[in-house]
Every structure is written in structure tokens, then in C-alpha cells.
Amino acid sequence: MLALAQPTPRHPNQYYPDSENVRQYFSAQIRQLSPERSLKATIGQSLVRRSSLQPIEKPIRRSASTVTGRSIPNPAPDYDTTPTIRGDVAQPRALLRSNTDVVTRQPSLTERPDPTEEWEMRHGYDEQYNSTQYLEQLSSTFFMYYTDKRHETGGKPRQQDPNHNPSEWRMRDRLKTVSAALIMCLNIGVDPPDVVKTNPSAKLECWIDPTPVIGTNSKTMEQIGKKLQEQYEGLSIRVRYKQYLDPSVEETQKFCKSLRRNAKDERILFHYNGHGVPMPTPSGEIWVFNRTYTQYIPVSLYDLQIWLGAPSLYVFDCSNAGNIIANFDRFVEKHEEENAEARKKDPNLQLPTHGDNIQLAACGKTESLPTNPNLPADLFTCCLTTPIDISLRFFLLNNPLPCEVSLRDVTRIPGRLAERRSPLGELNWIFTAITDTIAWNLLPRATFKKLFRQDLMVAALFRNFLLSERIMRANGCHPMSVPSLPETHRHPLWQAWDLTIEMVLAQLPAMIAAEDGGPSYEYVHSEFFTDQLTAFEVYLAQGAPNQEAPSQLPIVLQVLLSQVHRLRALILLSRFLDMGAWAVNLALTIGIFPYVLKLLQSAAFELKPVMIFIWARILAVDGACQADLIKDNGYQYFLTMLSPSAQLPVPNQSEHRAMSAFIIAMFCRGFRQGQTVCLSPELIETCIGHFQDAENPLLRQWSCLCISMLWADFPEAKWVGIRCQAHQKLCEMAIDPVPEVRAAALHALNNFLGIPDLTAQVAHYEECVASTIMIMTNDGNSMVRRELLVFFSTFVKRYQNRFLVAAFEQLVEEKEFLVDTEVRSHWNPQHGSLSRRSSKPCSDDDTDFQRVSNGSVQGTVWMHLLILSIDPHPEVAQDAKIIVDYIHEALLASPLGSRAQPLMNDIVRLSRQAAATNPPAASRQPSAAPNGRRTPISGSPAPPTLPKNESYLSAGMRRTASMAAAMKRLTFGSSGEESQPPQTIHVTQHYPGGPKRSRVPEEWSRPPDIHDPESKPKAYIKAKAPKPRGFQKYDPSSAPALPLKSGFFDWSIEYFGEPQMRPNEPDEPGSDDYNKKLWRRSRNEKVLNCTQPLKGVAGTSRWDEPVGYFNNGSQPTKMCFHQFEDHLAIADDRDSICIWDWTNHTRLCRFSNGNPPGSRINEARFINEDDSALLMTGSSDGIVKIFRNYESEKSIELVSSFRALTDHVPSTKNAGLVLDWQQGQGKLLVAGDVKAIKVWNAATEICTNNITARSNSPITSLTHDAVEGSTLIAGYGDGAIRVFDQRLKPSTEMVRVWRKHNQWITNVHMQRGGFRELVSGCRDGEVKLWDLRWKDEVRTIRAVETEGAAAGGGSATRGGVMRGLSVHEHAPVFAAGSSSHTLNVFHTNGTPLSTLSPTIPSTYTGTHLLQSHRHTPMASAAFHPHRMVIAGGAVGSGWINVWRCKGVEGAEEKI
């Protein structure tokens, strides 16, 4: 190991920035925090991808050098704090940290440094703090933990609106017009009696002049009819058209009935041209002829509706057509009334319907058709059937500017309507896009869907009807329709239509000249679609405020038909779909699905990424597209892309493969045809290969779920998976660093269970899987544990009989546990050992049998279920209780029920007796027994006092005795051999120290507060325990059912329904969350700028200025200040936490931590303090909990909870749980009454390191260095202090041990800022300062005089035992609480600054006078991390005192 540089002298005015929240970037595994934080899909170069953090290499530090400085003992250090050196190259470590430590030095006249202070940075950190490059690395990056979606939702999918149908965009009642009757009542040459025509007047009918020529009337009529049919065929060629020219009333009745008979339930088109007959009557009658054409015969709407029935589409092109619309519904209602009366007489009578009718009329009730000679007489029909021709003519007639094009020239525009690249085809294409867009923007969604997406003929007619409304209104008519439409003639897109026509007409002379043999001319295509795509892109850039539908969406749909604009349109469409489910629903409603389905047949290489993205978004909203994908083998598109050999024209190929895996999983979900066509060893092996993709957890997650959906309820696929060893590979994912991947693997393994033929081979496979994943019971993520319980429930249901035996044998063991004499000494304070005979039979004859579940997989799973039934997370515990309840109820209903019921009754009775003899009480720790009595193994809770009416099957009881027995068996193990003789295991309680180095009093190795009085139960009011978001309590009255249902797959689907291409709302500039975050950052900087210059004042001034005094209501044991908010968290000696606004003396919130009886809160920490902080608590039973919105009783929620101390290794149990939080690395260091220090990673939520404690004594305190984050320091109950380097291998990770203290280490703490002092204190009152490089202490200070010590010879105040030690994070001060009601504040150089005595209301008089009580010891004290403030409280009192350093008033006022 290399030698390290000697400490460098430091000038008093030289500024060193603090390093309290150093952000170290994780390595490859930790970098993938979760699928939500992983890659966000990118499609081509036009899609926006979230930027990902890149590690910044740290400069290599220089080798050792000798610098003169002060004399320090042992000048040859044996521990190097420099980065690990392997070979000749230093291993770089990326350091990222919070802005909270980067502050500007603000000179202050109030700063009075001690001229005798030796100004230097401890532990050799000078070089880092003098490096400009290093300081640049320590800025601007914030890592927040426990804020991912899995923590916000707990892995529960969103509640779906029961009224919302995700497939409502599909046309379930799609109709088509199959027949059309074209009735032409022209009677050429004879004008109707009620019509007065102008001269000249409009003459053209279907663009044909019907002026009679002698002998040609019939031919002209036939030409007009044929032309009308051709015009309609341009709208829909599949309709059967029939012309009826000047029909009689008998003919009308005959063909109408014939049409309905042939059409059956499909739609009929009835086109009526009444230009040669009288106008409709006020009652809505239309006119036809008699057989001899000598009379006009009226046809009532009542009869017409009977003849045609419904559904029908009516087009009325005649004057006064509004009379028909006004009376049509009246006759429909009359028909319905008659049908209702008929059904009363005969309910089985089949009657025709008349309600589904659509009508289009040319004008209003009193309006006549236009007679402009420049327009056709059938202007309305021309608008409906030849919109391009009439639009060109209308434009020319209304164009005020001179134009070279005549009305005759407009008929010579080249091209065909079906050719979109020709001028005429392009006009028709643009017209379709414009009219669709106008309807989309103005019509209600239901009306748009009915008129423009249900029937091709109806859509074409209504599209053209929008044009007729514009043209007819310009000529004095107001077209009418049923259903009625809003006004559309003023829509701004009509101006775009006029511009398009003008651009075509401007080129028309040159095109006509080229067609006539002149110079060739190349048509310049319209920029309409390009401009509209640009407008759509602008809409997307604005972020769709208020989820407003884009007006250009129908145009984008039309653009997909063009290869020129298709890629750009698809990219923009994908960006729109990425906005969420509402955007996908809009796109499906507009009709995007047939287009993207057809594009799966395209071989275009550049379209593949965007098509994968679009289909992923569609399936995330509507998974009922499986039958569509199987058509034309569309699913093969995604199977090909899933293969690693497939190449995509984008850099992020793994994300698109993850989307492909998602699409295949959705395709197979509950769809046997999809499972069958996808089943192949190649697909399973491909998914298994993706398990090794360390860079993309989303791909790993969906590869697991793809296998899960492939073999769900599909035995053939399971056997293929077995041959590919897929179940073994999935078991290996149990230690994946991403919780979502671990949960996905469990989901797949759960679906693996259930091969119908349960042979020994199948049972072996399934039991191997169950035994392998049992380690996941200790997973730190509740979502994973819940998914594990879903697997266990399926496993329990499949092997129910074996679990009944295991449960019965567990009951027998519980009874033995309670009736055995030595076990009952567990409840006797006079005994201190535990004896257990693993197979001793009970006294009852019916329980004398040979046990078969010992050592079996089912028996072990049953014990884990009992443990999970008292899981700290309510949802996990509730699910486990359902499984346990199910087995116990099944046990009572089985043949073993007659034996099980007495066992349960005996267990309840014995537990009540034990509870009555030794009622549980809140103590320092369940196992911290001051009288030396034997304590429950591994922190198992003591049996509660049960109500008299509580049965064994009621909630609560079996979670205690069963838990104790299960924990006992897991601790000591159980024999799988029935022939093994009974064994007795003794665990003798002994107090800390292990093999003591010398004979010292036993009291020295015990916690200082072990004799503190307990709170009076009657005076303690239990608070409400927060629940997770969306927690639903199980109804105990309902019968438990197995297997449990998993919501993980539905929850995972939501990822593809959420925006991925743009920043989250808190990261979006201008959003409310973003502005709040900016304000908090600014506030934090202000706090730092105002408090950093006060460190010198803090070391030279008194700390006795009172600034706060309030009653907590219960005795405080732990306190913690928030760095920036005015929040003070106070944990009491039971299970409650109070959040105070310490500046206003206001209690903001009080809640319960949910501790079991006999345990209490040991630690409280704020995390994520740079932004929205969370509160972390640690309890003496080994549980860690994290709360959100901790300052509000209405909105507080449990974010996460897990058993941080999972090893059930007996130790000298007196410390409970101690923890330290590393915000920079996201690591939680946990230790206590176990023989190891556990390192939990907040990003992965698993224990990543187990550091051997190397002592039988409990660990009483933990701290770490905030610069590298790799060094941790632990204080022990025997007075030892050990230093560990996590970068080294386990055999050499302990790099230093100090044994200078003789008694219990009260606290050891390394400052996050300031001089980085490492301070330790033990119960005898000694405080020592350390340097990691040296074997001996730097300085020893007696902060509290021991009882009986001489008053002289030291500067400390007489006070007996040191109750606690608190160190300021930045200022060179610390405080020691004594057992004589004093809190002594010292400078780190040993100079005493103040002696504080908390004041509490007098308990000796009836007054409310305040006075000090010298006989009550200090309970807790804490410094504010930045401000020069300290809080403290005494034993037996709930009053909290807050003091401030004198001389900092000005800075506090600025804050």
C-alpha cells in the first residue's frame, strides 16, 4: 500500500467547500436504476431522446510526498485513503455531487478564527479540495432515491374507468351501403307548375344540358341517369346502383321494397332529384308521376319509410327540401309507437325499424334552388358527387382577379382522381384531407365516427356535403342534414383549399399547352402537406397544452399514403403517440390503425424503428389487436426485430428490441393462436440471450415477460422452455440489480407452474424453482416481495396437501415451543437460556407422529410465508396472511381438522398465559433485557395480549407464535432425517464485549440509556400508521382464495403508455414542478451562503441563546433537523414520530412507525434533502421505513419498508439497529445486534455487501466519508472502533481498528463538511478525534466527568455517564449529553463553549414555572446540519429546547 502525504498546513482564511452530499455515479449495474430511468425510445434522427448521465473520471492523485507540518504520533501511516491502485494505473471513480456543497465564500467580519487552531483537512483530503477539476466534478448533479414509479405506485396498475372501453375506436356496428336508388324526376321539357325560372337559368343536370331536342328526350334522360351513376361510382364502386327515371308511384313502391329485401340489414341510398315535379309539400310529401305522366302523385314520408325501412341514406335535391327534413322524424316516431303497440300484443313479433336514417337536403323549408346560369341546375348533387369540378368552377366565378383560365379549361386538368401524384389526383387528395380535418375539428367525436368512419359512402357524401354548405350558402341556400352539423363554411382551411386551387390553375395554361404539343412542363406539386406537417411539428413542440387535439391529425393520416412524406409523418405521429394514452385514442379514432397495419407489409428499412415504436404505443392502450396481427403474418415483423442479428438504423437498438418483446408478449397474452404461431426454441433462446444485456433493463424485463406470456397456460411451450433451460435462467435473475427485472422473472416463473401432468420430474423442476427464489423473501422492494407471494400462492395451491401437513406439524411445534419447561423460561426473567427439542412429542397422544415436512421445500416455503405475514409492508403482509388463512381454513376442513382445532385452542390459551405473565412493553430493544432474561430469536415479537373472543384463525395470533417458531427453525436449522435424535440448543444471553480484553465492570459494555424509565402506557396516545398509496384493506369476512392475482404485467404495460421522448414534468422548464424545484435550489444556496461564514463564529461563541421551546407530548429519543426546511423530526421511546416547524414551534404531523410491541425507533434520517425530502426511520426490530409527505397528516404515505437486518445470527443484543445514509452513493449502511454490516443499495433495493463485523460485540454507531463514500467507520459496544474500505476484498477490508475507548461507544461521526473531523465518544465521557491515516487518536477531550471523578484536572463539566454525542456537520463543535441533565458544547480543539440545561415545567409544584432538574439525564440532542442551532430533550419529559449560537442573529434573519 502506498504511503500518503502528510497533512498540509492550512491558513485560517483559506476556504474549503464542504462535501456533504457527494454524488458518485454508479457503475454499470447501478447506472440502470430502473426501466423508467433507462433509455427513452428514439426513432431516427428526428426523435428526441433524454440525455443520459455520463461518468466523469476523477483525476489521479499524486503519490506520497513529505510536507512539513505539526508533529503527529506514529508518523508512518499504515492506511492509505487514496484511490485503489492496481498496477501502475489508478482506478478512476466518477464523482457527482449536489449543489448544496458548492458555495461562494462570503467574507464576514463576524468570523473570529482561533489563532491557535491548526487549520488542516483531516484524512488527506487537501489535494481534492485544492483541485479545480475536482471541484467542477462536485457540482450540479442530483440523485434522488425512492422516487421512481415503482415507489409512487407500489407496482399497482392504475384503476381503469369501468365505463371506458379501450377498443371503442373499432367500428363494432360497421355498416356499408349496398344498394342505391337514383330517382330522377325531371320530366324534360315540362316545367312544374310551382316553379318560375329566370331567363337565362341554370340548365345543366349532371353536367349535361337537358334542353330538349325533337325526338331525343328519352336519350337525354338516359344520359343524365348514366352520368349520375358514374358520378356516384366515383365515390363507391361497390354499391349496386339502379336508375329510376321519372318513375310512377307504383314503380317507386315496388323498387323500394325490392331494395330493402335485397339489402337486408345494410344501408340503402335513396337519391331524389325533384327538379321536374312540384316542390315538397309542407307535410314533407315528395312527388312522382302517374303511369301516363298526366298527373303528379304525392308520396308521403310515412309510406316511403315503410317501403325503404332502415338503415337508409336519403339525398333530396329539390327546392323546399327542408320540409322533408322537418317532417321526417315525426313519421319515424309514429312508426315506433305503432311497433310498440304491436309488441304489446305479440312480444315475439318481428317488426322493421325506422330509426337509423341519415338525410341530406339541398336547402331550407322556403328556399329555392339557385338559378345562376353559370352553375348547374343540380348544384347540390354536383357538390356531393363531383366536388373537384364544382370547386374549380366556384373558384373561377368568385375570383376577383383576372385569370387566363376559362370555365371550359378547368375540365382539362391532367390526371385521374385515383392518381395522387397527378394534378387532378393531388387536388382530390388535398380536398379529402381538408374536409376530414374540418369535420374532425368541428364535429363531436361520436358524430365524426358515425359519419366519417362507419360507411365509405356516408363518409364520402358528408365530406362533400361540407363543400356544398360553402357553395350553396354563397348562392342563397342553406343545406340541411340529419344528424345536423355545425357551420363549417367559415373554417380557415377553406382558404388553404382556395390557395391549392389557385396554384393548380396558375399552372393549367402551361399544362394545356404541353398537352396540345407545346413545350413540356413539369408539374410543381403543392406544398400543402409539407406545410401542414410543419404546423403539426410546431404543435408537438408546444407540448399539447391541456391535451388539446391537434387539428392536423387527419392530414397526417392522409400523408401516410405518400411515400414522399411517409417517414416524416410517421416520426411526427410517433411523437404524438408518445404523449400518452389520450393521444393514442385520438389517433385510433381518426383511423390510423388500418394504415399502420398495412405498413407492416412494407420492407422499407428506415420505417422499422418507427413502426415498432408506434405499435408498442397502440398495444399499450388497446391490447385487443392480436387477431389483426395474425393476419398476413404481421407478428413476424416484430419477431424478426427481436433477434440480435436484426439491424436497425438507430443507435438505441436494444430499446427497440425491448419494444418488440413487449409487442410479442401482448400478442401472446391470453391468445392461444398467438402463442402457437410464436412458439419456437429460437424465440425463447433469443429472450434468454437478452438476459445478458447489462445496459438495458427494459429489454431484460420484457424478455422475461415475453417468455411469461408465451408459456402461460400453454404446456407445450413450458416443455420447450425446459429444454432451453429457461426456468433456470429466470431463477438467476433473482439477483438482477433492477427490481422490475426481478419481478418480471418471478412473473414468468409463476406462469411456469402448472404443467397438467404432475409427474415426479415436473415436481422436481417446480420445487427447484421454489427453493432457488426463496432468497427473494429478503428483497428490499415490496413489489418484488408481492410478486414472490403470487408465486408462493400458486405453488401452495398446486401442492396444497403437502402444505396442510407442513402447517399441521408447525402447530405441533408451536405447542411444544410453549409447553416445554425450558421454553417457558423464555418468559421467566430468572432464566437466561433457551432449550428446544426439535422432535419431542407433545403430551397429547394425537400429536405423537413422525414429521415429514422437515427439510422439504414445502415446509421451508411455509416458514417463509409465516415470516412474510408480519412483513413491515402492509400489502406484503396482507397477501401473505391470505395464503396462511387459506391453508389454515383448508386444514380445519381436512381430515386433520379434528386434531388441528385442539392444537389451535391450546396455542391461544398458552399464548395468553405467557402474555399475561410477561406483558410486552416498549423497551430499548426487544432483546435488550436489562435483567438478563432470554429474548426472542432474531427480534421476533412477543406474544400479544389477545381478546377473549379471538380465535386462532383471527388476524394477529398466528403471526406471533408461528412467527417465533418459524424464525427459530430458520435460525437453528431443522433436520431432514427423521431418525436423528432430539437435540437441545442453548443460547445463553451475555452482554457486550465478547472475549473481553481485561476484567472491566459489566456496566461499561451496556448502553447508557438501558435503565431509562418507560413511558406510561395510559398517557401514551397511539398515532395512525401511514399506508402505501392505493392500499386496499382485505375484507376478513370474505373467504381467502388462491392463487393471488398479479397486477405487475398491467403495471409494466403502463410504461409504454407514458411519455418517453420528453422530460418528466419536474424536468420540463416552465412547469410548476420545475419552478418549485428551482425555488428550492435557490433557497438551498441561500442557506449555504448565509451559514458557511458562521463556522468560525460557532467555534468561539456561546451556544446558550434559547430560540425554541415546545412540548413533544412524549419522551424524545432521536432528533433530526432537515438541512433546508424548518423541519425537526423527533422519534419518541415508543413508535411515534413528530414533525415540528421548530422556528414557529408548530407541530406539523404525528404518525406511528408501526413498531411491534417491545421495539422502538432507533434512527431517523432525512433523505433527498436537496429537493422533496423523504423521512427514513430504523427500528430496533431491524425494519427500515421510508415516508413521503411526512409533514402532512392527510397526505403522508409509506414509500418503502423492508427488513434491513435479515440475518438471524445471535449476538449480544443491546444496540438494536444503527444506520447511516450515503446520499451521494444511494447506500444505506445498517448494523446493530448482528455480526455484520449490511450495505443496502437504494437504487437496486438489495443488499449489495455484507461486511463482517469482526467482533461479538454489537455495533453501536456507523458513519462514512462523504467524499469517496467507500470508507465506513463503526463503533462497538466494547469500545472498539473499526475502519472498513469497501473497495477491498473481504479478507482485507478492515484497514484500521482503534481500541482506545474502554466502554460503550455512544457515537462515532465524520463531518460531511468543515475539517472532516472524525469524532467518537463513549459512555465514560471521553471524546476522541481521529485521523484515518494514524494508529492513535489526534486528540482526547473529556466532555463528561465520570461519577466520583475529581473536579479538577479538566475543563469538562461534572456529569457522570455520557448519554449522547452530537457533532455539527460543518462547524468545529460537538455536544455531549450527560446523565446529570447537562448538554456540554465543545470546540473540537477541546475548548468548552457552553453548558446547557434543558428546562421543563416543574413537577414538584402546582405552578407552570420553568426550572432545571439536575437529576434527569439527557435523552437526545442534535445539531442543525447548517445553521448554528442545537436541540435537546431530557428523560421523562416531552419538552424540547432549541438553542442558538450567539452572534449569528443577522445571518439567521437573512435566511
Side-chain angles (χ1 to χ4, degrees), residues 1195-1233:
S1195 56
I1196 185 172
E1197 296 172 344
L1198 178 67
V1199 177
S1200 179
S1201 59
F1202 57 97
R1203 194 177 300 276
L1205 295 181
T1206 55
D1207 291 340
H1208 309 288
V1209 179
S1211 177
T1212 51
K1213 302 175 182 295
N1214 286 279
L1217 176 143
V1218 295
L1219 63 81
D1220 194 28
W1221 168 250
Q1222 295 181 346
Q1223 181 72 37
Q1225 291 190 348
K1227 291 182 180 179
L1228 178 65
L1229 311 176
V1230 185
D1233 292 327

Side-chain angles (χ1 to χ4, degrees), residues 329-626:
D329 289 342
R330 179 167 59 88
F331 290 105
V332 170
E333 293 173 0
K334 185 176 180 180
H335 283 298
E336 295 299 331
E337 291 174 359
E338 294 174 354
N339 289 344
E341 292 293 332
R343 288 192 182 94
K344 289 181 180 179
K345 298 178 182 179
D346 185 1
N348 299 323
L349 185 64
Q350 298 293 329
L351 297 173
T353 61
H354 303 87
D356 187 5
N357 294 292
I358 299 174
Q359 301 127 50
L360 299 176
C363 56
K365 291 183 179 180
T366 60
E367 295 176 346
S368 298
L369 296 178
T371 58
N372 187 341
N374 294 320
L375 295 174
D378 61 342
L379 179 61
F380 184 64
T381 298
C382 289
C383 290
L384 294 182
T385 57
T386 58
I388 305 303
D389 295 338
I390 196 64
S391 294
L392 293 169
R393 181 177 291 262
F394 178 75
F395 177 83
L396 286 178
L397 293 175
N398 291 273
N399 184 18
L401 300 177
C403 183
E404 300 178 5
V405 180
S406 65
L407 291 176
R408 182 175 299 178
D409 292 337
V410 298
T411 61
R412 299 188 61 185
I413 296 179
R416 295 188 304 147
L417 294 177
E419 297 176 353
R420 285 188 293 271
R421 298 301 295 171
S422 67
L424 189 60
E426 186 179 62
L427 277 175
N428 186 62
W429 185 23
I430 295 175
F431 175 78
T432 302
I434 287 178
T435 50
D436 258 10
T437 304
I438 293 175
W440 167 259
N441 292 329
L442 298 181
L443 269 60
R445 293 289 177 262
T447 304
F448 176 84
K449 178 181 175 182
K450 177 181 179 180
L451 300 181
F452 288 83
R453 293 295 180 264
Q454 190 180 64
D455 187 334
L456 292 178
M457 175 62 79
V458 174
L461 287 176
F462 267 91
R463 195 178 296 120
N464 300 339
F465 178 79
L466 301 183
L467 175 67
S468 73
E469 189 178 45
R470 184 188 189 211
I471 295 178
M472 298 291 287
R473 280 177 179 266
N475 290 274
C477 292
H478 295 77
M480 301 177 66
S481 68
V482 176
S484 61
L485 304 182
E487 291 186 359
T488 60
H489 63 287
R490 291 193 180 96
H491 196 278
L493 273 179
W494 288 122
Q495 300 177 11
W497 174 236
D498 291 339
L499 176 62
T500 303
I501 292 177
E502 184 177 7
M503 297 300 294
V504 173
L505 293 180
Q507 303 178 70
L508 184 57
M511 290 189 290
I512 293 177
E515 185 178 346
D516 294 340
S520 62
Y521 180 80
E522 183 177 356
Y523 175 69
V524 179
H525 292 279
S526 173
E527 297 292 328
F528 173 79
F529 289 112
T530 302
D531 295 340
Q532 293 300 318
L533 288 179
T534 302
F536 187 46
E537 193 168 5
V538 172
Y539 164 86
L540 295 174
Q542 294 176 347
N546 301 323
Q547 295 186 356
E548 182 180 353
S551 59
Q552 301 83 11
L553 195 56
I555 299 176
V556 176
L557 187 67
Q558 290 294 324
V559 173
L560 295 180
L561 299 173
S562 169
Q563 293 184 357
V564 177
H565 305 289
R566 182 175 295 163
L567 179 59
R568 184 187 179 196
L570 285 174
I571 291 174
L572 294 178
L573 179 63
S574 66
R575 290 176 56 187
F576 174 68
L577 298 182
D578 186 63
M579 290 183 172
W582 68 272
V584 177
N585 282 321
L586 281 178
L588 292 175
T589 303
I590 199 65
I592 192 69
F593 188 78
Y595 292 81
V596 295
L597 182 62
K598 187 67 175 178
L599 285 175
L600 291 181
Q601 308 304 318
S602 173
F605 183 63
E606 67 278 3
L607 297 183
K608 292 184 182 299
V610 68
M611 288 300 298
I612 293 173
F613 186 92
I614 290 175
W615 269 96
R617 265 57 195 172
I618 291 175
L619 289 174
V621 174
D622 183 8
C625 302
Q626 297 151 318

Side-chain angles (χ1 to χ4, degrees), residues 1140-1279:
W1140 286 85
D1141 182 340
W1142 61 271
T1143 58
N1144 297 320
H1145 309 166
T1146 304
R1147 193 178 77 180
L1148 304 177
C1149 181
R1150 180 175 182 266
F1151 61 92
S1152 170
N1153 195 54
N1155 291 4
S1159 64
R1160 71 170 188 175
I1161 303 170
N1162 284 127
E1163 298 284 356
R1165 295 282 193 280
F1166 288 108
I1167 67 174
N1168 300 347
E1169 294 174 274
D1170 293 302
D1171 197 46
S1172 297
L1174 305 175
L1175 181 64
M1176 175 185 290
T1177 64
S1179 304
S1180 57
D1181 56 349
I1183 302 300
V1184 171
K1185 295 186 177 183
I1186 300 166
F1187 301 94
R1188 180 194 301 115
N1189 303 325
Y1190 58 85
E1191 73 281 5
S1192 172
E1193 291 186 356
K1194 293 183 179 180
S1195 56
I1196 185 172
E1197 296 172 344
L1198 178 67
V1199 177
S1200 179
S1201 59
F1202 57 97
R1203 194 177 300 276
L1205 295 181
T1206 55
D1207 291 340
H1208 309 288
V1209 179
S1211 177
T1212 51
K1213 302 175 182 295
N1214 286 279
L1217 176 143
V1218 295
L1219 63 81
D1220 194 28
W1221 168 250
Q1222 295 181 346
Q1223 181 72 37
Q1225 291 190 348
K1227 291 182 180 179
L1228 178 65
L1229 311 176
V1230 185
D1233 292 327
V1234 292
K1235 293 185 177 180
I1237 302 172
K1238 292 186 173 293
V1239 182
W1240 287 84
N1241 192 300
T1244 63
E1245 299 188 68
I1246 55 177
C1247 182
T1248 57
N1249 195 5
N1250 246 350
I1251 301 175
T1252 305
R1254 300 173 186 252
S1255 174
N1256 288 329
S1257 183
I1259 297 174
T1260 64
S1261 180
L1262 283 174
T1263 188
H1264 72 283
D1265 75 286
V1267 178
E1268 297 288 346
S1270 58
T1271 303
L1272 63 92
I1273 303 96
Y1276 290 76
D1278 60 358

Side-chain angles (χ1 to χ4, degrees), residues 10 12 14 16 18 117-123 125 1095 1311 1313-1318 1369-1372 1387-1388:
R10 174 175 177 177
Q14 184 177 359
Y16 287 78
D18 300 319
E117 177 66 25
E118 297 163 352
W119 298 92
E120 65 174 21
M121 187 69 64
R122 297 288 184 207
H123 322 299
Y125 293 141
K1095 293 186 290 187
Q1311 289 182 311
F1315 299 146
R1316 316 276 296 125
E1317 296 285 5
L1318 176 59
E1369 294 292 356
H1370 304 283
H1387 193 286
T1388 53

Side-chain angles (χ1 to χ4, degrees), residues 3 32 34 125 177 180 243 264 427 514 632 693 698 768 817 825 831 971 994 1001 1026 1045 1064 1095 1218 1253 1330 1385 1410:
Q32 355 166 0
S34 70
Y125 293 141
T177 302
Q243 306 168 30
K264 297 182 180 179
L427 277 175
D632 301 324
D693 190 335
L698 188 65
C768 287
F817 183 83
S825 69
H831 294 271
T971 300
K1045 301 299 182 182
N1064 291 326
K1095 293 186 290 187
V1218 295
W1330 308 90
V1385 183
L1410 300 179

